[in-house]
């Protein structure tokens, strides 16, 4: 006998306009990620004519490959991937291609395959360069010539980790700064706190800058700095910078804890919807699309800027 799900299938089939999408999301590790998920879920709604299959891969690459294969089995119309790591993709992307399902990559890049139709995201190396250039200007202005840095990296092998590391290192090397250590905090607040606690034990009195590869790691690092009785921010002893520019980072700068945050825009939902709508009409899409970004520091009117922030 026909049941409700048969009826729903029949309704979908009758409505040939419903676009079925599978989205293999990285996880839920940060405020940035939450904003990214909300952006996709709000645009790819049933009201807008989409059927979204969303998988939170919990920062596990094996789960992410499995999710993509699941979407192939379900014969979705499009697959969106935010790749946890940048390599290991060619086989599964070949499977997508053979199944005739276009893949759109967002945010982090895939570096060992070009079997996707479009990528939209940030230039992570530029973000790292911008953080380095900011630190150069800031330390020059304060007359700090001895720059000793601890880096808390993002997830190892993520293009965001690779680009931010490379960009910052380029400026550090050009200025003769000392990078004492660089370890992963996996883009989480707990990870940032744990790495900072161990740094404080190992490098007590030897560092004056902490670079965290996302805001949430910085929140954890700042907690560890305070717990150890040390000070940070524009009036403290340790300079802390991070990436993303989520709302909580503005609050941290306003509180005087964080010095600066380098923007990374997570609102890719509407950008991907535009790509899909073009593809539906048989139009060409650009293969690579970068998003413009800024930075924010405590010299700015952060209360006012915060009111304008969407994530
Ligand atoms: O910086 C971090 C998130 O891939 C750019 O992933 C993204 C990064 C972002 O967990 O907060």
């Amino acid at each position: 006998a026909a049941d409700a799900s048969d009826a729903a299938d029949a309704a979908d089939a009758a409505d040939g306009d419903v676009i079925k999408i599978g989205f293999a999301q990285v996880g839920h590790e940060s405020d940035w990620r939450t904003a990214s998920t909300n952006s996709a879920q709000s645009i790819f709604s049933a009201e807008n004519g989409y059927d979204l299959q969303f998988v939170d891969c919990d920062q596990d690459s094996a789960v992410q490959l499995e999710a993509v294969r699941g979407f192939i089995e379900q014969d979705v119309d499009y697959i969106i991937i935010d790749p946890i790591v940048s390599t290991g993709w060619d086989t599964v992307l070949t499977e997508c291609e053979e199944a005739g399902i276009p893949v759109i990559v967002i945010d982090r890049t895939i570096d060992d395959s070009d079997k996707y139709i479009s990528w939209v995201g940030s230039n992570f190396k530029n973000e790292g360069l911008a953080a380095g250039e900011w630190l150069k200007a800031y330390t020059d202005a304060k007359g700090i010539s001895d720059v000793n840095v601890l880096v808390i990296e993002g997830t190892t092998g993520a293009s965001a980790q690779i680009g931010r590391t490379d960009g910052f290192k380029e400026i550090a090397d050009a200025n003769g700064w000392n990078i004492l250590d660089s370890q992963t905090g996996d883009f989480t607040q707990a990870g940032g706190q744990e790495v900072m606690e161990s740094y404080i034990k190992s490098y007590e009195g030897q560092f004056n800058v902490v670079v965290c590869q996302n805001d949430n790691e910085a929140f954890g690092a700042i907690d560890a700095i305070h717990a150890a009785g040390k000070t940070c921010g524009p009036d403290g002893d340790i300079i802390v910078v991070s990436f993303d520019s989520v709302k909580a980072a503005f609050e941290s700068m306003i509180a005087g804890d964080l010095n600066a945050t380098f923007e990374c825009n997570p609102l890719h939902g509407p950008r991907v919807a535009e790509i899909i709508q073009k593809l539906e009409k048989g139009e060409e899409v650009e293969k690579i699309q970068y998003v413009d970004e800024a930075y924010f520091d405590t010299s700015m009117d952060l209360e006012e800027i915060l009111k304008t922030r969407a994530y």
Side-chain angles (χ1 to χ4, degrees):
D3 62 20
S5 90
D6 289 335
D9 286 349
D12 277 3
D15 180 6
D17 289 329
V18 172
I19 299 173
K20 223 176 154 180
I21 295 177
F23 177 18
Q25 172 65 295
V26 169
H28 51 272
E29 70 284 2
S30 63
D31 290 16
W32 190 102
R33 189 61 54 200
T34 304
S36 161
T37 294
N38 290 342
S39 175
Q41 288 180 336
S42 59
I43 195 123
F44 296 121
S45 63
E47 301 79 64
N48 289 343
Y50 296 97
D51 170 6
L52 176 65
Q53 305 296 313
F54 176 83
V55 178
D56 175 336
C57 302
D58 203 17
Q59 303 226 73
D60 184 332
S61 293
V63 170
Q64 193 164 40
L65 292 177
E66 207 179 292
V68 173
R69 294 197 164 105
F71 298 149
I72 297 174
E73 254 169 54
Q74 292 171 57
D75 196 26
V76 299
D77 298 309
Y78 297 92
I79 294 175
I80 306 171
I81 303 172
D82 189 329
I84 298 170
V85 293
S86 66
T87 55
W89 285 102
D90 200 55
T91 305
V92 77
L93 292 192
T94 304
E95 291 166 25
C96 294
E97 193 176 70
E98 281 165 5
I101 305 173
V103 172
I104 299 161
V105 180
I106 64 166
D107 171 35
R108 301 183 187 173
T109 55
I110 284 178
D111 297 337
D112 63 353
S113 177
D114 62 356
K115 296 189 180 91
Y116 54 88
I117 195 140
S118 189
W119 168 85
V120 56
S122 307
N123 187 323
F124 302 117
K125 177 152 187 207
N126 279 354
E127 294 174 356
L129 289 168
E133 277 153 10
W134 177 91
L135 185 62
K136 169 76 179 138
Y138 187 83
T139 49
D140 279 355
K142 290 231 164 189
I144 302 169
S145 55
D146 216 14
V147 179
N148 294 298
V149 188
L150 288 167
V151 179
I152 303 181
E153 296 184 10
T155 302
T156 307
S159 71
Q161 173 266 324
I162 296 166
R164 289 170 185 168
T165 302
D166 290 353
F168 182 79
K169 191 175 181 305
E170 198 169 302
I171 306 294
D173 289 348
N175 289 291
W177 297 340
N178 188 12
I179 298 184
L180 292 161
D181 210 337
S182 198
Q183 288 178 25
T184 183
D186 225 7
F187 281 133
T188 66
Q189 178 156 343
Q193 182 166 347
E194 203 178 304
V195 173
M196 194 68 231
E197 282 164 0
S198 96
Y199 279 168
I200 291 170
K201 285 193 195 116
S202 310
Y203 302 101
E204 177 90 62
Q206 297 172 50
F207 64 95
N208 53 359
V209 178
V210 178
V211 176
C212 300
Q213 288 184 352
N214 79 349
D215 290 333
N216 289 81
E217 288 181 339
F219 307 150
I222 289 165
D223 284 347
I225 288 168
H226 288 162
K230 304 190 178 308
T231 60
C232 57
D235 300 319
D237 293 332
I238 302 164
I239 300 165
V240 183
V241 304
S242 61
F243 298 86
D244 286 355
S245 308
V246 298
K247 283 183 179 172
F250 285 79
E251 282 151 16
S252 182
M253 289 189 290
I254 291 166
D257 296 328
L258 181 67
N259 288 79
T261 177
F262 295 80
E263 191 182 31
C264 183
N265 190 313
L267 307 179
H268 295 313
R271 299 181 184 116
V272 177
E274 199 184 312
I275 291 168
I276 288 174
Q277 290 306 325
K278 280 191 179 165
L279 293 171
E280 287 290 300
K281 289 186 209 129
E283 291 171 15
E284 294 276 308
V285 295
E286 278 176 65
K287 178 117 188 181
I288 307 280
Q289 292 182 53
Y290 285 106
V291 176
D292 286 340
E293 281 153 350
Y295 75 89
F296 306 93
D297 69 15
T298 55
S299 73
M300 300 173 183
D301 189 349
L302 298 170
E303 305 266 6
E304 278 308 305
I305 300 170
L306 179 54
K307 289 181 197 157
T308 68
R309 300 295 292 168
Y311 60 92

